[in-house]
Amino acid sequence: MMPPLPPAAASSGGGGSRSLRQQSSSSVGSTTQTKDPSPSNAEVSSIRGLDSAYSSVGEISASETAASVQRNPVPGLSSGPPVQNPSNMNKTNMLEELRREMKQMPSTNDRSSGRRGNSANNIHNYTTNNVGVLWGLREIKGCVVDFAKDQYGSRFIQSKLEDVRVSSAEKQELFEEVLPHAKTLCKDVFGNYVVQKLLDPRVGTAPQQLKLCDNAIKGNVLDLSTHMYGCRVVQKLVEQIFGARKPTSNSRLYDPDYQDSLLSELISNVGECVRDQNGNHVIQKCIEQVRPISRISPMLDSFTGKYAAMAKHPYGCRVVQRVLENCSQERVGNVLDELINEIRELTSDQYANYVVQHVIQHQQQGTHREALFNVVTKNVLIFSQHKFGSNVVEACLKYGNVPEREGLIEGMLTGDIPPLEVMMKDPYANYVVQKVIDKSNQAQYERVVRLVQANESSLKRLTYGKHILNKIRQH
């Protein structure tokens, strides 16, 4: 899963920019892997142009292909521009011809204006309308691997693999040419998508999938899982053989002993994977997909006593959240025991604060939740003035029930110098005050307004104070 720091808790109302608090939304708290930088060589420098047509793992949409087949059911009747017959071309020039045609074709959605569309639309239109006549899988025989490693060639192959008009024999010939190079293609920026397509049971056959797994993945699970592109192939395999779908065949891929042998390669190296920017996505996928989850108990047992440390890791924090979402109540309780023991430190940590927010949002009852709210209430001023801790206080206001919210707000309004008076002038805590204005009951809201009015002159001189005044006016 492809594939992210989660966004800081959003401010409410007219609070202005929260740039001091925001963290990048591309590296923490998401199962889907962050988008990797494009390679520097000229052939793949325009990878960003494929974003709109790639799925989460960069595949061509099946519905897109099906729609094109319906539009052009007869391979010999195509409406696109003419292309050179591959029989008159040498293999070296075929990719150049494909690239040239893609760049020259207008977008399907914008043909009437004569303007060129994006490359994703072009490759789909070209392969479905024209390649069925002059360009088939057999025409690229002998240079399939080169095509698979090319931006346009990879999408050409994917399109043909999904095209119902292409015979099984042609697809088998392509597979046989891919197989000896499958491990290399798993690590290629574009080739990995061809391997993923062949692992899809809607495209590849059960024998093909087993051969791919035996030749390219089995024995190399750790190596691929920690690779930028290889991890996508492993995630695809996990989805296909461990997912909720019923097995589509009696293939050995679905044999529990065979599957356990694949899992053992991860379990014996789980610590390395959790700490790896790519491998952590594979571990997350296993926690989400493998059922019964007891099959990965050795993996989960290895985390015992380490959850607080994992929560403070940029990649480990994601794994902790998946454990909280998918594991048994007993195991989740043990995880929460470890987290609550260090809740003050975790609340102010740049990564662990997201785990704490996750607990607040999803653990709706129990002694752990009560203990967490007690800690936040007692330290509300300290946490609210902290860049990361303030996110946790806002989460308490957003996801807490009525008694929890009222108790927390009461703590802000009590004392000779109420914490709220200090908070409204702070660069981080002022966002908590804005959330208080939204979430307080009527009586508490009136007390907040009186406190703001009493400090109006000083608030007008402060950027953060103006946010509070604007919020009151808009409420």
Side-chain angles (χ1 to χ4, degrees), residues 434 436-440 445 470-475:
Q434 293 180 56
V436 167
I437 293 171
D438 284 332
K439 297 296 183 179
S440 56
Y445 174 73
N470 290 334
K471 185 71 176 179
I472 292 292
R473 293 190 189 102
Q474 295 171 7
H475 196 270

Side-chain angles (χ1 to χ4, degrees), residues 11 64 149-150 194 241 245 251 254 258 282 313 416 420:
S11 62
E64 186 180 28
K149 292 181 177 181
D150 180 80
V194 173
I241 70 174
R245 305 179 186 87
S251 170
Y254 299 100
Y258 185 87
V282 176
H313 191 273
D416 294 336
L420 196 76

Side-chain angles (χ1 to χ4, degrees), residues 111-243:
R111 181 167 294 183
S112 60
S113 66
R115 292 159 50 191
R116 294 182 184 177
N118 63 58
S119 59
N121 283 338
N122 290 347
I123 186 74
H124 174 69
N125 183 68
Y126 183 69
T127 57
T128 54
N129 288 340
N130 296 283
V131 179
V133 182
L134 297 180
W135 291 67
L137 293 182
R138 284 186 175 141
E139 279 68 40
I140 65 169
K141 188 174 181 179
C143 58
V144 166
V145 175
D146 290 334
F147 264 64
K149 292 181 177 181
D150 180 80
Q151 175 179 346
Y152 297 113
S154 173
R155 288 187 55 78
F156 165 80
I157 292 174
Q158 292 178 64
S159 177
K160 301 308 290 181
L161 286 172
E162 284 198 339
D163 193 334
V164 296
R165 298 168 295 182
V166 178
S167 70
S168 299
E170 289 180 271
K171 294 178 181 179
Q172 178 64 26
E173 289 177 6
L174 176 135
F175 172 80
E176 291 172 356
E177 191 169 339
V178 164
L179 187 60
H181 306 275
K183 184 178 178 181
T184 301
L185 291 177
C186 284
K187 294 183 174 183
D188 185 78
V189 59
F190 299 119
N192 79 89
Y193 295 121
V194 173
V195 178
Q196 289 184 61
K197 188 64 67 176
L198 289 168
L199 286 172
D200 190 328
R202 296 168 299 180
V203 174
T205 65
Q208 289 173 348
Q209 293 162 2
L210 181 60
K211 286 183 179 180
L212 267 180
C213 191
D214 281 339
N215 284 35
I217 302 176
K218 199 172 189 296
N220 302 299
V221 173
L222 177 62
D223 182 42
L224 293 174
S225 295
T226 54
H227 189 271
M228 182 183 298
Y229 306 118
C231 71
R232 304 175 182 183
V233 175
V234 179
Q235 290 178 74
K236 184 71 171 182
L237 179 66
V238 170
E239 285 181 351
Q240 297 304 330
I241 70 174
F242 293 107

Side-chain angles (χ1 to χ4, degrees), residues 75-93:
L77 299 178
S78 62
S79 58
V83 296
Q84 186 175 349
N85 193 318
S87 63
N88 299 326
M89 303 168 57
N90 61 53
K91 301 298 184 181
T92 305
N93 293 335

